[in-house]
Each structure stands twice: as structure tokens, then as C-alpha cells.
Amino acid sequence: MRTIDRWLTSPWRRSGAAALAGALPVLAFPAPSLWWFAYVALVPWILLARSAPTGRRAAWDGWCGGFGFMVAVHHWLLPSLHVFIFLIAGLLSVLWAPWGWLVRRFLGGTSPPGRCAAGLVVLPSAWLAVELVRSWQGLGGPWGMLGSSQWQVGPALRLASVGGVWLLSFLVVAVNVAVAVLVSVRRSRVPALAGLVAAAAAASAAWAWAPRPHPDGRARIAVVQPGIVAGRDSPAKRFDREEQLTRRLAGQGVDLVVWGESSVGYDLADRPDLARRIAALSRLTGADVLVNVDAHRSDRPGIYKSSVLVGPDGPTGERYDKMRLIPFGEYIPARSVLGWVTSMGKAAAEDRRRGSGQVVMNVGHRLRIGPLVCFETAFPDMSRHLAGDGADVLLGQSSTSTFQGSWAPEQHASLAALRAAETGRPMVHATLTGVSAVYGPAGQRLGPWLGTDASTAHVYEVPLAHGVTPYVRYGDWTVHAALLVLAAFGAVEGGRVLRLRRTGREPLARPARTVRESPARHGH
């Protein structure tokens, strides 16, 4: 341990160690999907920050760890953004600097039991504040929320129905803090154990008492995944392949056929021939076809990404224009200043336009769907609003074609499990090139994943449920509670500083000590 301490005295080595520690949680997400690792992945980062010699150094450890985390969970963007991803990560990592300072504030030195117990609540609350800020779509959206690593864990999905992915993030961080205390602060092991028991009790209570979705119907939904279609005239070739696959669904009694994001590269008003071909497919299969148009609109200026419903007589008029666009991928923030990014990678050459509101579509067969496009499936508030507006099925149309061979397709597909569990509604995640996946109203996986090597059409038997989950009813109450905790801490801390100033004393922070330093060295 002393050798490690001496090695970390170098600021550069310590910064590198913090960045590496911050990157560790990525292993809990798909594709590795080591969900259990999430509960200890933050421990090295926490131990490093708590041992910082000063609060400023702890804040820097927070920044460095945040940098490592952001680069790791977005590493698949490197082919598109190149070096620009490091600049984005560097800016957003500032959000973790206060978190690093708080780690030292509550766990540093020989932290007494009361302070460690408070840290079990304040530190997860501060982490949620970071996730809340970076969830703003202008900053890239909520990709890599720590709670989403639990997408395949039954008890965690039940918790998501109570407090959304926010509640999962809170509990995962709380467990990490408790483990770090058990490892490093002997005198505070009792509150740490109590925190672990409380987390287990919360999960058990949710499993036992949270309302369960009760299926009350079924729908047969077909996902058409054409696979990689490249080269000249690729939009036309892709359409031909989608048409060919959809014809195979004739006679299978499907209620809806779904194509992926950007499945149609032309505005259907400008290409009535394509609209007629899709309408013919609707008549052949006996189901409406939901396509996604990525093109200049004929009735207004600009490019839109739109979910468009086509029935046996042509487009039905049901349309959803994507609202939340991907920074740099679909538009350039402050293009007049940052437009040079397009020369470095695959950033948007022309900005897409935003839709004005969410839409619930009636697709026949007494089925109502709530469409989302691409990374909108990462936003829990959007699926919650669709469920509240009466959607029977949540439906995400996506394309991760640019990121084949990376971890992005699997991670994107996993998000639909959280959205389904949160809302008590099944969710279909349909893509152009994989991974496509379908989940039941409890977040359980239905049927096969269609991987990135598949070019096929598959029919899923989807159970329907119409209860109201606590998350749909009460919304982001976990976030509100976390903000109240932080406000209370700020008030207490401010009062403490004022009292010390009135007595003419400066607030002092005990120097942090490493895990195995003897208390005698600090005069205890």
C-alpha cells in the first residue's frame, strides 16, 4: 500500500489512475454486460478521491474520473467525431469535480459514522445531479446512465417501475459508497452495512409490493431489418430489400409491420410510387407499415426524421417528427462557430429540423403505438409521456449502421428494456442493421435479438398491459428527492461556514489518510 501511495504522489500518475478508475463502469454495460460489476466499479475512484491531500485535488480526481467515464461510454463515437470527443468529454467531466470534492468531504480521513451515513445519501444524490444535467439532449443525452446497466436484472427492472432508471442509479452508487467505506473506514462499517441492508430491503420491497403489469391482450408485430446495404443508390437498394422481406410476412396475421430509422430516404409526397409500393405491402400483409423517412419535406423547408404510418390506401396522415436530435450527428450546435467539425468526421453536413410534439398513433387492430426515433429511447420522460397518453406499445426506430462492430448496437437495444419496465408497456426496438429487440411490459426479453449480421423479418408475439406504474404516475420523484438532499446539505454547510466565520475560525478539513495508515500517525 505504501508503494502505491508513493506512486500516486506524482500528479500525472494520479490523474491517469483516476481516469482509468472512472472508465471501469463501462464494463457493466453491453457488450460486456457485467451488470454485477456496476456495484463495485466506482470503488477505486471513490478510494482515490477520499485519499486526496486537499479538496482541490479531490475535485481534480473527480474531473479526471469523469473524463475517463465519458470517453469509455462514448468510445464508439471516435470514428465519427475523432479528437472532438475528447474535448466534449473534457467539458462534461467538470460535472464530476464537485462529486470528487464531496467524496473527500464525507469519506476522507477517519470519517466518523454519522458523516459516512450522510455520505450514503448525499453522494448518490450528487451523482444523480450529474446524470440529470448531462441528460439534457443539448449535452448529448442520457447515454450511459449507471442504472441502465441493470437492464437484464429482474429485481432492478421492478425498481425501475417505481422510480425509473434514476432510482437504479441512486442505489448502485449507494452500494459502491458502502463498499468503499467497508474497505477504507473501519470505524464507520456499521452505517455502511446498514446502507447495504437498506438497499437490499428496498429491492425486496419493490419486488413484493410494486404493481405488476397484468397482460390483457396480445399483438403480433413484425420487425423488418434489411441489414447492411451500401454502395451507389443504397437508399433505393435498401427499400427494395425491405420490400422483399416484408412480402414474406403475407399470411402471418401480423397487426403491424415496423421498418427501422431512415428506412425510406425520400419524402413520400415527392415519391408517390414508393408510397404505392408500401401501401401494396400493407394490403398484402393485412397490417399498417410504420416506416421512417429521412429526407427534405415537400410541405416545409429542411430535413426531418419522421415516423410515417402507411395503410392499404397510402399514408394515413399519422406522422411523428423526431424532437430530440443528436448533437453533431444530426445538427451542429452553434454551426457558425463549430461548423469546421464536419471536415474532421461524420458530423451532420446539414442540420435536421425538430418536431413539435409527441404523437400516439392508431395503427388499427385496436392498437395504439408511441413512436420514438433513435436515441430518444434513452430518455425516460419521453416514453413515460407516451404511456400516459395511452400508448399500448412503445416503438423505437433506430439505425446504428455507422457503429457496426462497436458496443453501441447492443447498448442501444438494452435501453428498451428499461423503458418497458418503467412504463409497464412492451417496447419494440427496430433497427436497419441490428441489434433489434423486443421486450414485454415488465422489461423481459421476448424472442430473439436480431444481431448485426442479420437481414431478416421476424414476427414477435407481444403481450399488452395497461396498468399504471408508480413511475408513470409520480414521474422523476427520485431526482426531486436527490435535489432536496443536496439543497439541505448546502444549507447545513453554509450555516457551518457562517458560524465558523463569526467565531473568527476558518473551516478545517481533516487530512485524508490512506486505507492502511495507522491512526497513530494522525495523533488519534
Side-chain angles (χ1 to χ4, degrees), residues 420-468:
E422 289 167 343
T423 59
R425 299 291 185 273
M427 182 156 185
V428 176
H429 179 76
T431 72
L432 287 183
T433 59
V435 172
S436 298
V438 180
Y439 301 92
Q444 76 276 23
R445 181 170 158 179
L446 302 175
W449 275 22
L450 306 183
T452 55
D453 58 347
S455 176
T456 186
H458 190 85
V459 180
Y460 292 86
E461 291 280 350
V462 181
L464 306 178
H466 295 91
V468 179

Coordinates of all heavy atoms in Angstrom, one line a residue, residues 420-468:
A420 N -39.5 -0.2 -21.1 CA -40.6 -1.1 -20.9 C -41.0 -1.2 -19.4 O -42.1 -1.1 -19.0 CB -40.4 -2.4 -21.6
A421 N -40.0 -1.5 -18.6 CA -40.2 -1.8 -17.2 C -40.7 -0.5 -16.5 O -41.6 -0.6 -15.6 CB -38.9 -2.2 -16.5
E422 N -40.2 0.7 -16.9 CA -40.6 1.9 -16.3 C -42.1 2.2 -16.5 O -42.8 2.7 -15.6 CB -39.8 3.1 -16.8 CG -38.3 3.1 -16.3 CD -37.5 4.1 -17.2 OE1 -37.9 4.5 -18.3 OE2 -36.4 4.4 -16.7
T423 N -42.5 1.9 -17.7 CA -43.9 2.3 -18.1 C -44.9 1.2 -18.0 O -46.1 1.4 -18.1 CB -43.9 2.8 -19.5 OG1 -43.4 1.7 -20.4 CG2 -43.0 4.0 -19.7
G424 N -44.5 -0.1 -17.9 CA -45.4 -1.2 -17.9 C -46.0 -1.4 -19.3 O -47.1 -2.0 -19.4
R425 N -45.3 -1.0 -20.3 CA -45.7 -1.2 -21.7 C -44.6 -1.9 -22.5 O -43.4 -1.7 -22.3 CB -45.9 0.2 -22.4 CG -46.9 1.1 -21.8 CD -48.3 0.5 -22.0 NE -49.4 1.4 -21.5 CZ -49.8 1.4 -20.2 NH1 -49.3 0.5 -19.4 NH2 -50.8 2.2 -19.9
P426 N -45.0 -2.9 -23.3 CA -44.0 -3.5 -24.1 C -43.3 -2.5 -25.1 O -43.9 -1.5 -25.4 CB -44.8 -4.6 -24.9 CG -46.1 -4.0 -25.0 CD -46.3 -3.3 -23.7
M427 N -42.1 -2.8 -25.4 CA -41.3 -1.9 -26.3 C -40.6 -2.7 -27.4 O -40.0 -3.7 -27.2 CB -40.3 -1.1 -25.6 CG -39.6 -0.1 -26.5 SD -38.9 1.3 -25.7 CE -38.3 2.2 -27.1
V428 N -40.8 -2.2 -28.6 CA -40.1 -2.8 -29.8 C -39.0 -1.8 -30.3 O -39.2 -0.6 -30.4 CB -41.2 -2.9 -31.0 CG1 -40.5 -3.4 -32.2 CG2 -42.3 -3.9 -30.6
H429 N -37.8 -2.4 -30.4 CA -36.7 -1.6 -30.8 C -36.3 -2.1 -32.2 O -35.7 -3.2 -32.3 CB -35.5 -1.8 -29.8 CG -34.3 -1.1 -30.2 ND1 -34.1 0.3 -30.1 CD2 -33.1 -1.5 -30.7 CE1 -32.9 0.6 -30.5 NE2 -32.2 -0.4 -30.9
A430 N -36.7 -1.4 -33.3 CA -36.5 -1.9 -34.7 C -35.4 -1.1 -35.3 O -35.4 0.2 -35.3 CB -37.8 -1.8 -35.4
T431 N -34.4 -1.8 -35.9 CA -33.2 -1.1 -36.5 C -33.0 -1.5 -37.9 O -33.6 -2.5 -38.4 CB -31.9 -1.4 -35.7 OG1 -31.6 -2.7 -36.0 CG2 -32.1 -1.2 -34.2
L432 N -32.2 -0.8 -38.6 CA -31.8 -1.1 -40.0 C -30.9 -2.3 -40.0 O -31.0 -3.2 -40.9 CB -31.2 0.1 -40.7 CG -32.1 1.2 -41.1 CD1 -31.2 2.3 -41.9 CD2 -33.2 0.8 -42.0
T433 N -29.9 -2.2 -39.2 CA -28.8 -3.2 -39.3 C -28.5 -3.9 -38.0 O -27.4 -4.5 -37.8 CB -27.5 -2.4 -39.7 OG1 -27.2 -1.4 -38.8 CG2 -27.7 -1.8 -41.1
G434 N -29.4 -3.9 -37.0 CA -29.2 -4.5 -35.7 C -28.4 -3.6 -34.7 O -27.8 -2.7 -35.1
V435 N -28.7 -3.9 -33.5 CA -29.5 -5.0 -32.9 C -30.9 -4.6 -32.7 O -31.2 -3.5 -32.1 CB -28.8 -5.4 -31.6 CG1 -29.7 -6.4 -30.9 CG2 -27.4 -5.9 -31.7
S436 N -31.9 -5.4 -33.2 CA -33.3 -5.2 -33.0 C -33.7 -6.1 -31.9 O -33.2 -7.2 -31.8 CB -34.1 -5.5 -34.3 OG -33.8 -4.6 -35.3
A437 N -34.6 -5.6 -31.0 CA -35.0 -6.4 -29.9 C -36.4 -6.0 -29.4 O -36.9 -4.9 -29.7 CB -34.1 -6.2 -28.7
V438 N -37.1 -6.9 -28.7 CA -38.5 -6.6 -28.2 C -38.5 -7.1 -26.8 O -38.0 -8.1 -26.4 CB -39.5 -7.4 -29.1 CG1 -40.9 -7.1 -28.5 CG2 -39.4 -7.0 -30.5
Y439 N -39.2 -6.3 -26.0 CA -39.3 -6.5 -24.5 C -40.8 -6.5 -24.1 O -41.6 -5.7 -24.6 CB -38.5 -5.5 -23.7 CG -37.1 -5.6 -24.1 CD1 -36.6 -4.7 -25.0 CD2 -36.2 -6.4 -23.4 CE1 -35.2 -4.7 -25.4 CE2 -34.8 -6.5 -23.8 CZ -34.4 -5.6 -24.8 OH -33.0 -5.6 -25.1
G440 N -41.2 -7.3 -23.1 CA -42.5 -7.3 -22.6 C -42.7 -6.2 -21.6 O -41.8 -5.4 -21.3
P441 N -44.0 -6.1 -21.1 CA -44.3 -4.9 -20.2 C -43.6 -4.9 -18.9 O -43.6 -3.9 -18.2 CB -45.8 -5.1 -20.0 CG -46.1 -6.5 -20.4 CD -45.1 -6.9 -21.4
A442 N -42.9 -6.0 -18.5 CA -42.1 -6.0 -17.3 C -40.6 -5.8 -17.6 O -39.8 -5.9 -16.7 CB -42.3 -7.3 -16.5
G443 N -40.3 -5.6 -18.9 CA -38.9 -5.4 -19.3 C -38.3 -6.7 -19.7 O -37.1 -6.7 -20.0
Q444 N -39.0 -7.8 -19.7 CA -38.5 -9.1 -20.0 C -38.3 -9.2 -21.5 O -39.0 -8.7 -22.3 CB -39.4 -10.3 -19.5 CG -40.6 -10.5 -20.3 CD -41.8 -9.6 -19.9 OE1 -41.6 -8.5 -19.4 NE2 -43.0 -10.1 -20.2
R445 N -37.2 -9.9 -21.9 CA -36.9 -10.1 -23.3 C -37.8 -11.0 -24.0 O -38.2 -12.1 -23.4 CB -35.4 -10.6 -23.4 CG -34.9 -10.8 -24.8 CD -33.4 -11.0 -24.8 NE -32.9 -11.7 -25.9 CZ -31.7 -12.0 -26.1 NH1 -30.8 -11.7 -25.2 NH2 -31.3 -12.7 -27.2
L446 N -38.3 -10.7 -25.2 CA -39.2 -11.5 -25.9 C -38.5 -11.9 -27.2 O -38.1 -11.1 -28.0 CB -40.5 -10.8 -26.3 CG -41.3 -10.2 -25.1 CD1 -42.5 -9.4 -25.6 CD2 -41.8 -11.3 -24.2
G447 N -38.5 -13.2 -27.5 CA -38.0 -13.7 -28.8 C -36.5 -13.4 -29.0 O -35.8 -12.9 -28.0
P448 N -36.0 -13.6 -30.2 CA -34.6 -13.4 -30.4 C -34.2 -11.9 -30.6 O -35.0 -11.1 -31.1 CB -34.3 -14.2 -31.7 CG -35.6 -14.1 -32.4 CD -36.7 -14.1 -31.4
W449 N -32.9 -11.6 -30.3 CA -32.3 -10.4 -30.8 C -31.9 -10.6 -32.2 O -31.5 -11.7 -32.6 CB -31.1 -10.0 -30.0 CG -31.3 -9.3 -28.7 CD1 -32.4 -9.2 -28.0 CD2 -30.3 -8.5 -28.0 NE1 -32.3 -8.4 -26.9 CE2 -31.0 -8.0 -26.9 CE3 -29.0 -8.2 -28.2 CZ2 -30.3 -7.2 -26.0 CZ3 -28.3 -7.4 -27.3 CH2 -29.0 -6.8 -26.2
L450 N -32.2 -9.6 -33.1 CA -31.7 -9.7 -34.4 C -30.3 -9.0 -34.5 O -30.3 -7.7 -34.4 CB -32.7 -9.0 -35.4 CG -34.1 -9.6 -35.3 CD1 -35.0 -8.9 -36.3 CD2 -34.2 -11.1 -35.5
G451 N -29.3 -9.7 -34.6 CA -27.9 -9.2 -34.5 C -27.5 -8.4 -35.7 O -28.2 -8.3 -36.7
T452 N -26.3 -7.9 -35.6 CA -25.8 -7.0 -36.7 C -25.4 -7.8 -38.0 O -25.1 -7.2 -39.0 CB -24.5 -6.2 -36.2 OG1 -23.6 -7.2 -35.7 CG2 -24.9 -5.3 -35.1
D453 N -25.5 -9.1 -37.9 CA -25.2 -9.9 -39.1 C -26.5 -10.4 -39.8 O -26.5 -11.2 -40.7 CB -24.3 -11.1 -38.8 CG -24.9 -12.0 -37.7 OD1 -25.9 -11.6 -37.1 OD2 -24.4 -13.1 -37.5
A454 N -27.7 -9.9 -39.3 CA -29.0 -10.5 -39.7 C -29.6 -9.5 -40.7 O -29.6 -8.3 -40.6 CB -29.9 -10.7 -38.5
S455 N -30.2 -10.1 -41.8 CA -31.0 -9.4 -42.8 C -32.3 -10.3 -42.8 O -32.3 -11.3 -43.5 CB -30.3 -9.3 -44.1 OG -31.2 -8.7 -45.1
T456 N -33.3 -9.9 -42.1 CA -34.5 -10.7 -42.0 C -35.7 -9.9 -41.5 O -35.6 -8.8 -41.2 CB -34.2 -11.8 -40.9 OG1 -35.2 -12.8 -40.8 CG2 -34.0 -11.2 -39.5
A457 N -36.9 -10.6 -41.5 CA -38.1 -10.1 -40.9 C -38.6 -11.1 -39.9 O -38.6 -12.3 -40.2 CB -39.2 -9.9 -42.0
H458 N -38.9 -10.7 -38.7 CA -39.3 -11.6 -37.6 C -40.6 -11.1 -37.0 O -40.7 -9.9 -36.8 CB -38.2 -11.7 -36.6 CG -38.4 -12.8 -35.6 ND1 -38.1 -14.1 -35.9 CD2 -39.0 -12.8 -34.4 CE1 -38.4 -14.9 -34.8 NE2 -39.0 -14.1 -33.9
V459 N -41.5 -12.0 -36.7 CA -42.8 -11.7 -36.1 C -42.7 -12.0 -34.6 O -42.3 -13.1 -34.2 CB -43.9 -12.5 -36.7 CG1 -45.2 -12.1 -36.0 CG2 -44.0 -12.2 -38.2
Y460 N -43.0 -11.0 -33.7 CA -43.0 -11.2 -32.3 C -44.4 -11.2 -31.7 O -45.2 -10.4 -32.1 CB -42.2 -10.0 -31.6 CG -40.7 -10.0 -31.9 CD1 -40.3 -9.4 -33.1 CD2 -39.8 -10.6 -31.1 CE1 -38.9 -9.4 -33.4 CE2 -38.5 -10.6 -31.4 CZ -38.0 -10.0 -32.5 OH -36.6 -10.0 -32.8
E461 N -44.7 -12.1 -30.8 CA -45.9 -12.2 -30.1 C -45.7 -11.3 -28.8 O -44.9 -11.6 -27.9 CB -46.2 -13.6 -29.6 CG -46.6 -14.5 -30.7 CD -48.1 -14.3 -31.2 OE1 -48.8 -13.6 -30.4 OE2 -48.5 -14.9 -32.2
V462 N -46.4 -10.1 -28.8 CA -46.1 -9.1 -27.8 C -47.3 -9.0 -26.9 O -48.4 -8.7 -27.3 CB -45.9 -7.7 -28.5 CG1 -45.6 -6.7 -27.4 CG2 -44.7 -7.8 -29.5
P463 N -47.1 -9.4 -25.6 CA -48.2 -9.2 -24.6 C -48.5 -7.7 -24.3 O -47.5 -6.9 -24.2 CB -47.7 -10.0 -23.4 CG -46.2 -9.9 -23.5 CD -45.9 -9.9 -25.0
L464 N -49.7 -7.4 -24.2 CA -50.1 -6.0 -23.9 C -50.6 -5.9 -22.4 O -51.2 -6.8 -21.9 CB -51.2 -5.5 -24.8 CG -51.0 -5.7 -26.3 CD1 -52.2 -5.2 -27.1 CD2 -49.7 -4.9 -26.7
A465 N -50.3 -4.8 -21.8 CA -50.7 -4.5 -20.4 C -51.1 -3.0 -20.3 O -50.5 -2.2 -21.0 CB -49.6 -4.9 -19.4
H466 N -52.0 -2.7 -19.4 CA -52.5 -1.3 -19.4 C -52.6 -0.7 -17.9 O -53.2 0.3 -17.7 CB -53.9 -1.2 -20.0 CG -53.8 -1.5 -21.5 ND1 -54.0 -2.8 -22.0 CD2 -53.5 -0.7 -22.6 CE1 -53.9 -2.7 -23.3 NE2 -53.6 -1.5 -23.7
G467 N -51.9 -1.3 -17.0 CA -51.8 -0.7 -15.7 C -50.9 0.5 -15.7 O -50.2 0.8 -16.6
V468 N -51.0 1.3 -14.6 CA -50.2 2.5 -14.4 C -49.1 2.2 -13.4 O -49.4 1.9 -12.2 CB -51.0 3.7 -14.0 CG1 -50.1 4.9 -13.8 CG2 -52.1 4.0 -15.0

